[in-house]
Amino acid sequence: MTDIKYQARLQVLSQWATEAAGQGHLVPRIADLEAISAARTVEAPGVSRKEVQPWLPTIQWLLKQAAFGVVDPHVQLPDELSRPVGAAHALRAVPADEDSADAPAPPAMEVSLVAVDAAESVTVVAEIKPTPPTAKVPKWESEAREQVQAAVQRFTRPLHDLLTRDANEGDTRLLITDMLCEGLGYDKFRDLTTEYMVKQDFADYGVRIDKQLVAFIEVKRVSQKLGERHLRQVQMYAVNEGVEWMILTNGQVWQAYHLTGGLPVIVNLAFEVDLLGPESLEAKADKMFFLHREALKRRRIDELWKHRAATSPDALLDVILSDSVLDIIRKEIKRNTGITTTVQTLAAVIRTEIVDPKLRNNW
C-alpha cells in the first residue's frame, strides 16, 4: 500500500520545485525529491548533493511543514528560503517585472549544523543567517504599507468625529467601506459584497480576491465594544461557507481571527489594533497591513496566527506539561535541593496550584 505520508511529502516538495523552477531557479530532479520524501532527509542514498545542497534549508523547512500537516506550505515560504543559499549562479535569466527590475542580488547566507535527532520524523540540520543588509522589500509591499499608513493617519479625525456623536452602525459602515477601499486596496465592486447571504442570514461584507471568498467582515457601531457574541456571529458565517478569516470591527478596533475547521472548530486571534489607541502610527499601520488586499492575497497574515496559536496559553501549557520539560525541571530540583520527585507530581502541582483556573476549565 502506498505510504500516505510519503505521498504528502513528495507533493509538498514537487509543488515547491515547480514554482521555484517557474521563477528561473535550478531545482533538484524529481528522482531526488522522491528519494528525500522516502527517507525524510536530504541524506537519502543516491541524492545529488550538488543540486540539493543550495536548497538544504528550504527542503528541511518544507519537510517539517509536511510533518505538521500544513497544506501548500510553498505558498507561505519565508523570503529567505525562496532562493538557493549563496548560489546566484543557479539562476537563469528571466524577464524583469515591476517587482524585480531593481531587486538586489540574493544575500549571502551562512548555513550551520544545529541538531540531528533520528527519533523525530524530520531531521533539522540548518540554521540560516542572512548577512546584512536585508533583502529589498518587494515593490507591492512598500506601496501597500505606504497606503495603509496614510489611511490610518487620514481616518483618525473622522473616527474621532463618529465616536463623539455616537454614530450608528450604518454611518460606521460607510467609513469602513472608505477605509477598505482607500486604505486597504479593495475594489468595492470587484472585491466586496455587502449583505453577503449565508443561509438565512447576512454578513456585513464578504471579501473576494480573484473571485475566491477569503474572509467575512462584521461591523458594529463605533461605540459598541466587540465581544464573544459578535465573534460567534461571524464564526457561523465562516463555518457555513468554509472561510478561514473573520474580521470584527467597529471602525476604531479591528480584530482578525483565523478559523480552522474540524470538530470542534479552532479560532485564533491573529491580531487586534485600536486605531485611536496609544500605539504609534507605525505600529498601527504594521498590523493593518496584514488586512491589505495584496497582503491577504499573498497570505502574509498566516504566519501571525500560526505564531499566536503556537504561543497561546493552552499550547504553552502543553509544552510545559510534556514529559521532556517536566524531566528537566525534576533534574533541576534535584540539583538545587537534593530532593527527588517525579514528573507526575510536578504535573499535578503545575495544574492545580500554578495554572490559571480559566485554563483548567479547558481540560
Side-chain angles (χ1 to χ4, degrees), residues 3-228:
D3 186 341
I4 296 177
K5 292 184 178 179
Y6 160 77
Q7 292 292 347
R9 290 190 291 269
L10 180 57
Q11 181 178 1
V12 164
L13 293 179
S14 298
Q15 288 175 331
W16 156 74
T18 299
E19 183 166 309
Q23 295 171 352
H25 295 294
L26 296 176
V27 297
R29 303 167 301 168
I30 185 63
D32 291 332
L33 300 182
E34 290 173 346
I36 291 170
S37 299
R40 298 178 298 191
T41 174
V42 295
E43 302 298 333
V47 169
S48 170
R49 298 293 297 176
K50 180 179 179 181
E51 295 184 14
V52 170
Q53 187 65 33
W55 294 104
L56 176 66
T58 303
I59 293 174
Q60 293 289 5
W61 185 89
L62 289 166
L63 287 174
K64 190 171 184 180
Q65 298 302 305
F68 283 114
V70 177
V71 178
D72 297 337
H74 67 286
V75 177
Q76 306 159 23
L77 193 69
D79 290 342
E80 65 269 19
L81 299 182
S82 64
R83 60 184 67 88
V85 175
H89 63 275
L91 289 174
R92 297 194 301 267
V94 295
D97 58 31
E98 62 176 0
D99 284 349
S100 62
D102 54 357
M109 294 186 183
E110 174 188 347
V111 180
S112 58
L113 186 66
V114 176
V116 177
D117 189 345
E120 297 294 332
S121 59
V122 177
T123 304
V124 180
V125 300
E127 180 180 17
I128 310 163
K129 296 180 179 179
T131 57
T134 57
K136 183 178 179 181
V137 175
K139 183 179 179 181
W140 73 265
E141 180 175 339
S142 60
E143 290 179 347
R145 288 186 179 278
E146 290 174 6
Q147 183 180 14
V148 171
Q149 183 163 325
V152 171
Q153 187 172 26
R154 184 169 68 253
F155 282 95
T156 297
R157 180 60 181 273
L159 269 174
H160 271 298
D161 293 343
L162 285 181
L163 193 60
T164 300
R165 64 183 175 87
D166 192 17
N168 60 31
E169 186 174 310
D171 289 347
T172 304
R173 195 182 302 182
L174 288 174
L175 182 140
I176 287 172
T177 299
D178 289 344
M179 182 72 179
L180 290 170
C181 297
E182 298 175 28
L184 300 180
Y186 295 94
D187 184 294
K188 67 174 64 178
F189 302 110
R190 179 191 62 196
D191 302 322
L192 303 176
T193 301
T194 58
E195 299 298 323
Y196 189 102
M197 188 172 183
V198 182
K199 291 192 174 181
Q200 301 304 313
D201 208 345
F202 296 90
D204 289 329
Y205 295 90
V207 180
R208 293 185 184 276
I209 296 180
D210 297 335
K211 299 182 180 181
Q212 181 179 357
L213 184 66
V214 297
F216 283 117
I217 302 176
E218 188 64 21
V219 177
K220 299 303 170 187
R221 69 187 299 162
V222 69
S223 60
Q224 187 169 12
K225 185 177 181 180
L226 304 177
E228 287 293 328

Side-chain angles (χ1 to χ4, degrees), residues 321-352:
L321 292 177
S322 65
D323 287 346
S324 58
V325 173
L326 289 173
D327 192 52
I328 292 173
I329 297 174
R330 180 187 63 80
K331 291 176 180 177
E332 190 66 13
I333 291 174
K334 174 71 172 179
R335 186 177 70 83
N336 290 338
T337 68
I339 300 298
T340 301
T341 186
T342 65
V343 295
Q344 292 81 9
T345 299
L346 293 173
V349 172
I350 292 172
R351 285 193 180 98
T352 59

